Amino acid sequence: MRPAAWQGCANNCRTQPRGKPMQDSGRDKKDGKIYVVGNKPIKELLMDNPQKVDFVAFRKGRHDQGLEEIIELCRTQKVPYKSVSAKDLDYMYKGNHQGIAARCAALEYTPLETLLEQATDAPLPLIVALDQVQDTGNVGVLARTVYALGGAGLIVCQHHGAYLGAGAVRSSAGALNKLPVAKVGNLANAMKDAVNYDFTLYAARVTSDSRDVYTAEFQTPAVLILGNEEKGIRPGVAKFSHHSLHIPFTREFDSLNVAQAGAIIVSEFARRLR
């Protein structure tokens, strides 16, 4: 069987021959995206549930005490924020936004520590970590696979990751409303935490000593790291992995996308570790 080089898990996992939904409660939904507007609601959201906020956008040129307090909360809670034109803000939210809007996820996130502590209770003690995977459909399909096969949950990036809104929930067939998902600002630190919790980390990539996924030995609890559709797994994240895995191809073929490749590897974990 010819081994295949697997460039990360890119939207092209490239191969070459080679050795609980949020309540609406007055929020505006546009194209499946959920927005909270106004100084007071956003300030309360940042104080009580910052993990629900993808980013805060405010009208360019606005300067006032209320905005400064919100920006300071964004900084301390590590929530992205940006100034946008009045036209862009009006496009995001049709109505009286008071010059500020926060885009929120369509699901509840689980703290990383909770996910790591509870993973061993899952039928398959495997967490899938997505390193800046940006395609909403891929994340939804992966969530569907992980949930169906008994996986423990997902870890996604707060920055440069897919927006987990209504579209992602639909593509997951509702699995994202049932599967624990942790959103982290620094995936490398999250992988370090997983190692400290005695997880074995597997990176989906080709290295000089990468293992054939069909013959490799697996240990749990485990984390499977899948990379960005174009760039694969970043070195700073991959360095915490204990093993690398590749999918061998028997025919010349260009690639598998991250959802296809992830499904193959997760199914191998499920097949041999139950």
Side-chain angles (χ1 to χ4, degrees):
M1 181 174 286
R2 178 178 63 83
W6 193 5
Q7 189 177 336
C9 194
N11 198 12
N12 294 294
C13 297
R14 297 278 180 193
T15 62
Q16 309 168 5
R18 194 199 320 203
K20 303 164 194 171
M22 290 181 61
Q23 297 298 312
D24 189 11
S25 154
R27 296 162 172 82
D28 179 63
K29 296 183 180 181
K30 177 179 176 59
D31 299 331
K33 297 179 175 61
I34 300 173
Y35 292 94
V36 175
V37 299
N39 282 5
K40 185 176 179 180
I42 292 175
K43 186 176 179 180
E44 291 177 350
L45 186 62
L46 289 169
M47 289 190 296
D48 298 336
N49 295 289
Q51 72 278 4
K52 293 182 180 178
V53 184
D54 288 316
F55 66 81
V56 174
F58 56 89
R59 187 179 62 245
K60 190 176 297 184
R62 179 183 163 180
H63 300 286
D64 56 78
Q65 183 62 32
L67 177 60
E68 291 303 317
E69 291 175 358
I70 288 172
I71 290 176
E72 183 59 29
L73 279 171
C74 287
R75 288 173 179 154
T76 58
Q77 302 287 15
K78 296 181 171 55
V79 173
Y81 61 92
K82 59 184 178 181
S83 63
V84 299
S85 68
K87 182 179 179 180
D88 287 341
L89 200 56
D90 289 340
Y91 180 79
M92 288 169 58
Y93 185 91
K94 304 293 185 183
N96 181 19
H97 47 62
Q98 300 177 35
I100 191 165
R103 193 179 77 175
C104 304
L107 63 144
E108 300 282 350
Y109 287 107
T110 299
L112 176 64
E113 182 177 331
T114 301
L115 176 57
L116 294 174
E117 289 176 349
Q118 297 179 352
T120 54
D121 296 330
L124 178 64
L126 173 69
I127 297 170
V128 174
L130 305 180
D131 186 12
Q132 298 189 339
V133 172
Q134 297 178 345
D135 185 275
T136 298
N138 281 336
V139 177
V141 171
L142 279 166
R144 188 173 184 174
T145 300
V146 172
Y147 183 77
L149 296 181
L154 296 178
I155 299 174
V156 298
C157 293
Q158 182 174 2
H159 307 290
H160 307 296
Y163 170 61
L164 301 187
V169 173
R170 284 194 299 271
S171 64
S172 76
L176 280 171
N177 286 334
K178 303 173 183 178
L179 187 71
V181 180
K183 183 170 68 172
V184 299
N186 188 315
L187 188 61
N189 285 345
M191 295 301 94
K192 184 178 180 180
D193 289 343
V195 171
N196 290 336
Y197 272 81
D198 293 325
F199 280 71
T200 301
L201 273 55
Y202 297 86
R205 60 175 186 159
V206 167
T207 62
S208 60
D209 60 349
S210 62
R211 303 179 178 187
D212 181 332
V213 70
Y214 298 119
T215 59
E217 294 183 0
F218 295 141
Q219 294 178 309
T220 57
V223 176
L224 170 63
I225 310 170
L226 302 175
N228 171 272
E229 289 88 346
E230 298 298 332
K231 299 178 181 179
I233 302 172
R234 290 171 293 168
V237 175
K239 71 179 183 180
F240 291 102
S241 64
H242 299 97
H243 309 289
S244 295
L245 300 171
H246 69 265
I247 298 174
F249 283 9
T250 56
R251 288 191 172 121
E252 293 287 342
F253 191 67
D254 182 52
S255 64
L256 295 175
N257 71 26
V258 65
Q260 294 166 331
I264 290 171
I265 300 176
V266 173
S267 67
E268 279 299 301
F269 271 91
R271 183 176 68 86
R272 281 185 277 149
L273 293 177
R274 285 185 178 173

